Amino acid sequence: MKIVLGSDHAGFSLKETIKEHLSSQGWEVIDCGTDSEESVDYPDFGEKVARAICDGICEKGILVCGTGIGISIAANKLPGIRAAVCHDLFTAQASREHNDANILAMGARVLAPSLAMEMVDTWLATPFSGGRNQRRIDKIAALEK
Ligand code: RB5
């Protein structure tokens, strides 16, 4: 029940809402920032969250920027990170079932906060399906070598 969150300035407000939402459900939240709407660079926060997962501090994380795109590209540069930009409940669910995503990335300029909260709940509740999808994840891991 521990999760790591991060955002840039565009995602700050939605990250704060997600933090309250998860804390109220009993999650221990590690917040890597940012701490305000002052302009920052999204790769710095993608890296912090990805490193917390690489270092084994948390199994899963959530990243928010304007679109979810830049911050996920940055996070995906670290080994073992599978950050998925999701846009709806279907992609949130599929990113766990098929891709074993360990980071949910979302766009605060794309999603209504209420949908984002439903996506967070769906994403956290959905297990990886394994089987043929494990073979595919193994092939992604092999690309890192
Ligand atoms: C910041 O203006 C914006 O570029 C960033 O939040 C994100 O959308 C990048 O992918």
Side-chain angles (χ1 to χ4, degrees), residues 12-125:
F12 169 70
S13 172
L14 182 56
K15 175 195 39 99
E16 294 299 299
T17 306
I18 294 168
K19 184 163 64 176
E20 281 168 30
H21 179 74
L22 291 176
S23 297
S24 75
Q25 292 179 358
W27 286 84
E28 182 187 339
V29 175
I30 299 174
D31 185 352
C32 291
T34 189
D35 301 322
S36 75
E37 289 181 344
E38 189 177 329
S39 184
V40 290
D41 297 334
Y42 58 78
D44 298 337
F45 300 91
E47 179 189 358
K48 283 177 203 274
V49 167
R51 284 208 189 282
I53 294 170
C54 290
D55 293 348
I57 294 164
C58 283
E59 275 183 26
K60 291 193 181 81
I62 297 175
L63 286 170
V64 190
C65 68
T67 59
I69 296 171
I71 207 160
S72 64
I73 291 173
N76 277 320
K77 297 295 180 192
L78 278 84
I81 295 301
R82 293 178 299 280
V85 187
C86 297
H87 300 290
D88 48 35
L89 296 178
F90 176 75
T91 49
Q93 182 175 333
S95 76
R96 288 289 311 129
E97 276 179 1
H98 289 221
N99 313 117
D100 198 15
N102 48 17
I103 294 181
L104 170 64
M106 295 185 290
R109 294 173 177 162
V110 180
L111 297 168
S114 57
L115 175 57
M117 245 34 66
E118 278 190 75
M119 289 168 61
V120 165
D121 290 343
T122 297
W123 190 77
L124 289 170

